[in-house]
Structures are given as C-alpha cells and as structure tokens.
Amino acid sequence: MEKAKRDQRATARSIADDIRAQIRGGTLPPGAVLPTSRELASRYGVSHKTVSAGIDVLKVEGLVVGERGGRRRVRASRPITWNLTSSAQGTAVMDDWATTIKEAGREPAQTISVTAEGASEEVAAWLHIDPGEEVVRREHLRTVDGRPFQLATMWFPVAVVRDTPLAEERDVARSANVLAQAGHPQQRVRDEIDVRMPTPEEAERLNLPPGTPVAEHVRIGYGETAPIRVVQTIAPGDRHRLVYELGV
C-alpha cells in the first residue's frame, strides 16, 4: 500500500513537471484552458485522482488557477509597475499609483473607509505610541479594471490629523502635503518590505488564487520627533512589479 502511494505521488509530480514545461515553453500560454481531467487521465494513463494531485502542485506554485465548473486555466496576469520612490507624495490630482494605472491605459478605482480605533501592538510599535492609544485608520481597497490589486491601510495619531481631510471618509491626494499644512511636515520615511503568503482575510479580499504570495510594504513617515503616519500596503505578487529609483 505504501509503495502504491509513493508511485502515485511520483506520477502526480511527473504530470506536474510535464504541464509546467508546456506552460514555460509557451505550448500552454497565459489564459489557456487546461485539458479536462478525463482527457489528462487518458493522456497519461492514470486515474482522475492522480491527475488532480498533479494539478494541485501547479496551483500551489501559482501557475494554474481553478474556476467555477471545475475548469482550470493557466494564470494570466498583467502586472503593473509600482514606483515606491514617488508614491509617498502622489500627484496633484490623485496618488501616483492611480496615475500610473491610467497612463497604462487601465482603469483604477478604490473604496475608502475611515475609522477611529485603539492602536494594535504592531501599529503602536510603528508609531511609537502606547498600545490602545486612539489612532485614525484609513483603508483603501484599490482595484484595476474592476479587479482587486492592493489593500492599503494608513494609521495616524489622532492629534496629527484632527480637523484635517485625512480624518474624513473621502479621497485625499498628497497626504504628506495635508500633514505639512497641519503643522506636521514629514522629514523622512522608512520602508520595510516582506514577501509572504497572505492571511485568509487578505486572500479573500484580494481574490487571490491559491499559491499567490504577497508583498507587504510598510512605509513609516517621521516628523521632527516621532512617526506621524504609517502605510501598510498588501500587493499580490502576480500583479505588481516593485521599482525604486535612487540617486547614487
């Protein structure tokens, strides 16, 4: 029995290896529909269960996505270039991210929610405040062509954004400028980037296929004496190309 299981796993891996080679070689291009389980089982001379095990390997690798009705398709993605150097300031009309999307001939949109809450341990550490201290939380769910692309959440100490547009539930261009006008100019920023698998909530909200990693980009903006804002952006790895431009 154990030998049969080992043989099945080995056969599933060989099926995955063959289909992977077809994807990378272009025989199965992005967006192509894979043959049905019946067709693959006949082609490789194995059971449907073994075929499914092989396809599951490709799903975990992020090469294949499942759709309703049991159809499987080669992942097709049109990544955007996200310039992290300039995204801190934005443009006169909308933030730099949205401008980049429009310049690529695609349609950006976002939904915004603003709440007051007690700072979590993590947020408190970023902002150098006590856990539970009240902060203003702004969440932006950004989409491109109607598809979720980024989940960006900002936190500010209440005293920093009180009576400013940043405390209101509406779009605000150049948040750094708003802070400066309120007497809290941003002096420098610190970036922290982690690449990891998404949490279940992130996977659901960003509609992520299994096996899709995310980049977690945290930008902490410092005033004269302490942090005045933190922005945490969750960006699916199959939808973004991160770019920095630095003087040397």
Side-chain angles (χ1 to χ4, degrees), residues 29-165:
V33 176
L34 267 62
T36 65
S37 293
R38 182 186 298 275
E39 292 168 338
L40 291 172
S42 175
R43 177 183 303 177
Y44 293 108
V46 298
S47 68
H48 289 194
K49 184 176 181 180
T50 301
V51 167
S52 294
I55 297 299
D56 285 345
V57 172
L58 300 175
K59 287 182 177 179
V60 170
E61 294 177 358
L63 294 175
V64 170
V65 295
E67 298 180 342
R68 289 183 178 180
R71 184 170 58 180
R72 282 124 0 160
R73 188 184 296 273
V74 178
R75 185 196 296 273
S77 181
R78 297 173 60 198
I80 61 168
T81 297
W82 180 24
N83 191 317
L84 295 172
T85 311
S86 58
S87 64
Q89 295 298 327
T91 66
V93 179
M94 62 181 67
D95 65 39
D96 183 77
W97 181 85
T99 301
T100 300
I101 304 305
K102 284 187 173 293
E103 289 176 348
R106 305 175 70 178
E107 186 59 36
Q110 64 179 345
T111 58
I112 301 172
S113 64
V114 179
T115 57
E117 63 182 26
S120 67
E121 294 275 355
E122 186 174 47
V123 171
W126 285 330
L127 290 176
H128 298 180
I129 60 177
D130 294 327
E133 185 173 328
E134 189 176 28
V135 293
V136 171
R137 179 179 187 269
R138 294 180 58 88
E139 183 182 87
H140 300 239
L141 178 59
R142 297 168 171 170
T143 64
V144 176
D145 302 329
R147 182 187 185 194
F149 253 66
Q150 286 186 357
L151 182 61
T153 308
M154 307 178 186
W155 291 271
F156 306 86
V158 171
V160 170
V161 296
R162 183 180 288 116
D163 299 325
T164 74

Side-chain angles (χ1 to χ4, degrees), residues 136-243:
V136 171
R137 179 179 187 269
R138 294 180 58 88
E139 183 182 87
H140 300 239
L141 178 59
R142 297 168 171 170
T143 64
V144 176
D145 302 329
R147 182 187 185 194
F149 253 66
Q150 286 186 357
L151 182 61
T153 308
M154 307 178 186
W155 291 271
F156 306 86
V158 171
V160 170
V161 296
R162 183 180 288 116
D163 299 325
T164 74
L166 290 169
E168 302 172 7
E169 198 164 280
R170 61 184 176 93
D171 196 6
V172 179
R174 289 189 171 182
S175 62
N177 284 3
V178 174
L179 292 173
Q181 292 167 6
H184 303 283
Q186 186 172 259
Q187 304 291 331
R188 62 185 177 91
V189 298
R190 170 186 169 87
D191 282 356
E192 301 175 359
I193 299 176
D194 290 306
V195 177
R196 57 175 174 78
M197 297 308 295
T199 66
E201 180 185 9
E202 292 165 350
E204 179 179 1
R205 299 196 65 187
L206 292 169
N207 194 22
L208 301 179
T212 305
V214 297
E216 178 186 14
H217 172 246
V218 176
R219 172 163 283 168
I220 305 168
Y222 292 81
E224 293 184 1
T225 59
I228 55 176
R229 74 165 182 167
V230 61
V231 186
Q232 178 198 52
T233 303
I234 306 300
D238 63 336
R239 302 169 203 177
H240 294 80
R241 180 178 296 109
L242 277 60
V243 173

